């Protein structure tokens, strides 16, 4: 225990779930509020895409500690959307949305999800399954363990490093 | 690509049509591209209002102020945007624990001396007889046996004294003779160049600190005195030889400056506006120069090297990777 952080279940948010599936080191940094270099061009591009697409939709919903990109009314259920830059983050988008769906279910809201990749005109429907739910529960448990470690997980070169805003931090 | 703006004229800096606008006293004016500005250096007499400061703060642009003599006066450091209580506590912990503080102070001086040796070795290879290198090497070996911060600083002081005494051999132009380092006021042209260059470097580093989670008020080598920024002074030790001094050698040996670019005031020698402009254009060029950074696997500018030095410090503070100073091999 590092004693500096007081972490509980509520602390886990969508970004941390996404980080967990990308890089555990990034996860530790995020949890410690060590935000990455905001001048990073990929981050800037991401912010731009988020702002520029889906102008007719309502954006940026905050439910508890979750920040949901898009919420709209579907035929039966509410649909929540997560905007991603490219298919590279398709899987993380799915897990992030599933996490939101799971949390919404806990408060009695049944919703559906869509990973949106506007630049590729892609829309991937997401439904919460038993397996994914199981995976997420395991992830949340592990996230809390990683965050409580006094030091960040060791440096490891992965393909994601090339586009990561922590690249220069990690490899300096 | 963000840039640094330098204002030499007298006038008024204001917010206009969602950007920054500078109105020169003689009626000229200029719009400044607010989205692309990293920092603004003010050398002239500039009038500002709160509206402009608020806008600059929102755009996270730092203002660095210099007095009539080109000395750094202070900065408008917009409300910190990368706050991390965690890093702040770690920074303090490494200051209060003497062994931890000593480690960092030692590393900053180790970087400073190593880079001085790099610079001198370059000129020795070019055939200049620099016998003091052996003396500096001996002092460098001694550094690691020093126990207090004062002792560490004393070694650094001695090395610098010897190093500056070699400037006369490196600088071919005999107009620029240096007897000894003098600061307040600088007594000759070389001292004026060193003071001006160091002032600029302190502010560049401060701007980079602003982009990290570090608090510039907590330094390790230069004692925190509760008033001013000190961490930038620490980091500057590493970069002075490889940025400022190299620019000085370059512009003097290329005869880019002459005594007409200096003036005498208050018993001191100062760079005039013409001289400052030449110096700034060359130091800017230096900051944009890139070198290959092995660990990162790509080219980075000197400006970026400063940022990465701060990242290394952050990593040291959080216990991720031990800090070693940048030692230039080129």
């Amino acid at each position: 225990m590092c004693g500096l952080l007081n972490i509980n279940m509520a602390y886990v948010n969508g970004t941390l779930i996404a980080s967990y599936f990308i890089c555990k080191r990034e996860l530790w940094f995020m949890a410690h509020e060590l935000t990455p270099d905001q001048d990073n061009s990929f981050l800037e591009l991401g912010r731009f895409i988020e702002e520029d697409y889906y102008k007719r939709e309502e954006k940026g919903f905050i439910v508890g500690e979750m920040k949901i990109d898009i919420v709209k009314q579907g035929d039966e259920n509410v649909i929540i959307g997560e905007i991603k830059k490219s298919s590279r983050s398709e899987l993380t988008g799915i897990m992030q949305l599933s996490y939101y769906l799971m949390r919404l279910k806990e408060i009695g809201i049944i919703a559906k999800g869509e990973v949106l990749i506007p630049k590729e005109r892609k829309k991937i429907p997401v439904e919460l399954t038993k397996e994914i739910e199981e995976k997420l529960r395991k992830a949340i448990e592990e996230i809390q363990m990683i965050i409580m470690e006094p030091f960040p997980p060791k440096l490891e070169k992965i393909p994601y490093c090339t586009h990561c805003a922590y690249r220069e931090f990690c490899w300096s | 690509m963000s840039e640094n703006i330098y204002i030499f004229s007298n006038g008024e800096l204001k917010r206009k049509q969602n950007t920054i606008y500078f109105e020169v006293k003689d009626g000229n004016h200029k719009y400044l591209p607010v989205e692309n500005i990293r920092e603004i250096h003010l050398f002239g007499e500039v009038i500002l209002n709160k509206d402009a400061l608020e806008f600059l703060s929102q755009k996270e642009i730092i203002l660095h102020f210099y007095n009539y003599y080109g000395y750094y006066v202070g900065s408008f450091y917009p409300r910190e945007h990368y706050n991390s209580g965690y890093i702040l506590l770690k920074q303090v912990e490494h200051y209060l624990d003497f062994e931890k503080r000593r480690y960092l102070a030692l590393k900053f001086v180790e970087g400073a001396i190593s880079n001085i040796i790099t610079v001198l070795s370059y000129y020795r290879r070019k055939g200049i007889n620099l016998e003091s290198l052996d003396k500096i090497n001996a002092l460098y070996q001694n550094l690691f046996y020093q126990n207090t911060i004062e002792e560490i600083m004393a070694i650094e002081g001695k090395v610098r004294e010897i190093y500056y005494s070699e400037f006369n051999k490196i600088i071919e132009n005999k107009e620029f003779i240096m007897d000894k380092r003098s600061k307040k006021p600088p007594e000759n042209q070389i001292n004026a160049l060193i003071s001006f260059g160091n002032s600029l470097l302190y502010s560049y580093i401060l701007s980079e600190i602003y982009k990290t989670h570090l608090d510039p008020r907590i330094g390790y080598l230069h004692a925190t005195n509760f008033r001013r920024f000190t961490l930038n002074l620490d980091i500057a030790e590493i970069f002075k030889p490889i940025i400022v001094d190299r620019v000085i050698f370059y512009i003097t040996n290329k005869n880019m400056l002459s005594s007409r670019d200096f003036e005498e005031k208050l018993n001191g020698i100062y760079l005039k506006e013409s001289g400052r402009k030449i110096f700034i254009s060359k130091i800017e060029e230096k900051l944009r120069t890139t070198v290959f950074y092995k660990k990162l696997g790509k080219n980075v500018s000197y400006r970026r090297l400063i940022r990465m030095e701060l990242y290394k410090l952050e990593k040291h503070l959080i216990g991720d990777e031990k800090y070693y100073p940048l030692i230039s091999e080129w």
Side-chain angles (χ1 to χ4, degrees):
Chain A
M1 278 288 279
C2 66
L4 284 169
L5 290 167
N6 181 14
I7 298 135
N8 53 41
M9 188 75 172
Y11 197 83
V12 175
N13 59 31
T15 323
L16 294 185
I17 294 283
S19 294
Y20 173 84
F21 290 100
I22 297 166
C23 170
K24 312 268 192 292
R25 196 171 150 88
E26 180 188 280
L27 165 68
W28 193 93
F29 291 150
M30 291 277 194
H32 286 73
E33 297 280 324
L34 294 174
T35 41
D37 180 9
Q38 297 301 312
D39 295 339
N40 181 284
S41 52
F42 298 107
L43 266 192
E44 251 173 88
L45 186 65
R47 270 197 296 266
F48 176 76
I49 291 174
E50 224 173 274
E51 273 171 36
D52 205 50
Y53 287 94
Y54 309 105
K55 284 202 168 132
R56 278 168 302 170
E57 325 276 342
E58 283 193 69
K59 289 190 281 194
F61 288 84
I62 296 180
V63 185
E65 70 296 333
M66 296 181 286
K67 193 177 147 278
I68 301 171
D69 287 347
I70 284 179
V71 179
K72 60 184 178 186
Q73 187 58 52
D75 295 337
E76 294 163 38
N77 298 320
V78 169
I79 300 173
I80 59 173
E82 170 70 21
I83 306 170
K84 292 285 178 205
K85 243 185 349 240
S86 77
S87 347
R88 204 189 351 247
S89 21
E90 192 180 306
L91 177 76
T92 31
I94 293 172
M95 295 317 287
Q96 212 174 328
L97 272 177
S98 304
Y99 174 70
Y100 297 153
L101 293 175
M102 192 170 96
R103 296 302 298 269
L104 288 175
K105 199 172 98 181
E106 280 166 14
I107 53 172
I109 300 168
I110 300 298
K112 281 187 172 182
E114 275 172 3
V115 177
L116 305 161
I117 308 170
K119 273 182 77 183
E120 299 171 15
R121 299 178 173 280
K122 259 175 127 176
K123 197 191 266 182
I124 300 121
V126 178
E127 254 177 280
L128 192 64
T129 64
K130 274 268 162 314
E131 288 133 273
I132 289 184
E133 235 177 294
E134 199 40 55
K135 236 187 195 172
L136 281 170
R137 281 187 206 289
K138 227 187 102 217
I140 292 165
E141 225 170 87
E142 224 178 293
I143 285 170
Q144 288 174 347
M145 304 275 278
I146 293 166
I147 293 174
M148 280 196 281
E149 287 293 326
F151 307 117
K154 276 268 157 287
L155 202 59
E156 204 183 310
K157 183 108 191 137
I158 56 170
Y160 183 77
C161 290
T162 327
H163 291 88
C164 181
Y166 286 106
R167 179 180 179 184
E168 281 158 345
F169 184 86
C170 281
W171 300 99
S172 63
Chain B
M1 193 65 197
S2 28
E3 54 179 326
N4 306 332
I5 304 276
Y6 299 85
I7 295 179
F8 291 95
S9 333
N10 301 338
E12 195 176 348
L13 193 67
K14 44 183 153 182
R15 173 182 187 166
K16 197 170 182 184
Q17 288 158 3
N18 253 351
T19 191
I20 287 290
Y21 173 88
F22 185 69
E23 204 171 73
V24 191
K25 251 193 170 150
D26 64 16
N28 270 323
H29 60 81
K30 201 181 175 185
Y31 283 96
L32 306 172
V34 76
E35 299 296 339
N36 282 329
I37 301 174
R38 178 179 11 221
E39 64 206 36
I40 303 176
H41 299 255
L42 299 169
F43 291 93
E45 281 303 317
V46 175
I47 299 168
L48 279 160
N49 64 13
K50 181 167 147 274
D51 189 36
L53 287 174
E54 263 176 27
F55 187 55
L56 290 165
S57 177
Q58 184 197 332
K59 296 288 174 189
E60 293 164 6
I61 296 168
I62 299 190
L63 292 180
H64 297 297
F65 296 92
Y66 300 83
N67 70 9
Y68 183 72
Y69 303 103
Y71 269 119
Y72 173 74
V73 179
S75 302
F76 171 65
Y77 199 76
R79 188 193 62 229
E80 292 239 31
H81 64 303
Y82 288 172
N83 268 322
S84 164
Y86 179 67
I87 286 281
L88 181 63
L89 287 173
K90 288 290 177 188
Q91 240 184 301
V92 175
E93 179 192 321
H94 282 253
Y95 183 86
L96 295 177
D97 180 320
F98 180 73
E99 265 317 304
K100 287 179 177 162
R101 180 175 167 203
R102 180 181 167 275
Y103 177 83
L104 286 171
L106 196 71
K107 288 293 144 185
F108 294 143
V109 174
E110 183 183 337
I113 300 179
S114 301
N115 288 329
I116 284 173
I117 292 172
T118 302
V119 168
L120 289 177
S121 305
Y122 168 80
Y123 285 99
R124 178 139 89 174
R125 279 198 305 279
K126 283 185 82 177
I128 298 174
N129 176 27
L130 298 167
E131 68 266 12
S132 66
L133 251 174
D134 302 331
K135 260 192 272 173
I136 291 179
N137 271 316
L139 282 167
Y140 178 70
Q141 299 306 325
N142 252 324
L143 174 68
F144 303 94
Y145 301 102
Q146 307 307 313
N147 291 314
T148 65
I149 307 288
E150 289 72 25
E151 285 165 357
I152 292 169
M153 281 187 114
I155 293 270
E156 199 227 346
K158 276 185 206 151
V159 168
R160 255 179 219 284
E161 202 180 304
I162 300 170
Y163 170 57
Y164 286 133
S165 73
E166 297 288 47
F167 272 39
N168 287 337
K169 291 187 204 156
I170 296 170
I171 297 168
E172 295 149 18
N173 188 337
K174 291 306 158 220
E175 242 185 293
F176 299 100
I177 289 288
M178 160 112 165
D179 39 5
K180 65 174 198 324
R181 174 82 179 113
S182 49
K183 287 181 192 165
K184 285 178 178 172
E187 284 162 12
N188 57 44
Q189 299 176 352
I190 289 298
N191 274 304
L193 289 173
I194 296 171
S195 292
F196 185 65
N198 289 347
S199 271
L200 286 173
L201 183 64
Y202 297 146
S203 61
Y204 296 142
I205 296 175
L206 185 60
S207 297
E208 292 303 317
I209 292 175
Y210 181 66
K211 300 268 184 179
T212 70
H213 302 87
L214 295 163
D215 190 308
R217 290 168 298 184
I218 302 167
Y220 300 92
L221 178 63
H222 297 85
T224 293
N225 60 11
F226 310 110
R227 277 182 292 122
R228 59 174 295 178
F229 300 136
T230 51
L231 185 60
N232 55 337
L233 308 185
D234 284 6
I235 300 294
E237 296 303 332
I238 297 164
F239 290 96
K240 277 177 192 171
I242 53 175
I243 296 179
V244 179
D245 301 343
R246 277 190 173 151
V247 168
I248 293 174
F249 299 147
Y250 183 81
I251 52 181
T252 50
N253 283 340
K254 296 262 178 206
N255 293 318
M256 300 175 86
L257 284 180
S258 77
S259 43
R260 280 194 308 278
D261 296 308
F262 296 85
E263 62 188 339
E264 198 174 344
K265 273 214 181 84
L266 286 175
N267 298 322
I269 306 282
Y270 299 95
L271 262 179
K272 284 204 293 209
E273 187 179 320
S274 58
R276 285 181 199 161
K277 281 183 172 164
I278 293 166
F279 197 101
I280 285 169
S281 76
K282 288 299 147 194
I283 205 164
E284 276 275 330
E285 211 172 88
K286 186 69 168 180
L287 290 174
R288 280 192 299 267
T289 308
T290 60
V291 287
F292 188 72
Y293 200 93
K294 223 187 271 166
K295 197 173 166 197
L296 185 65
K298 68 170 186 178
N299 283 324
V300 287
S301 65
Y302 274 86
R303 180 101 202 191
R304 206 63 184 168
L305 283 176
I306 296 174
R307 175 86 66 91
M308 287 168 70
E309 203 60 19
L310 299 169
Y311 286 158
K312 285 188 332 199
L313 182 59
E314 275 191 28
K315 288 195 286 186
H316 176 84
L317 297 175
I318 64 176
D320 179 37
E321 244 179 279
K322 232 172 152 72
Y323 174 78
Y324 291 100
L326 169 83
I327 293 171
S328 170
E329 293 160 20
W330 49 82

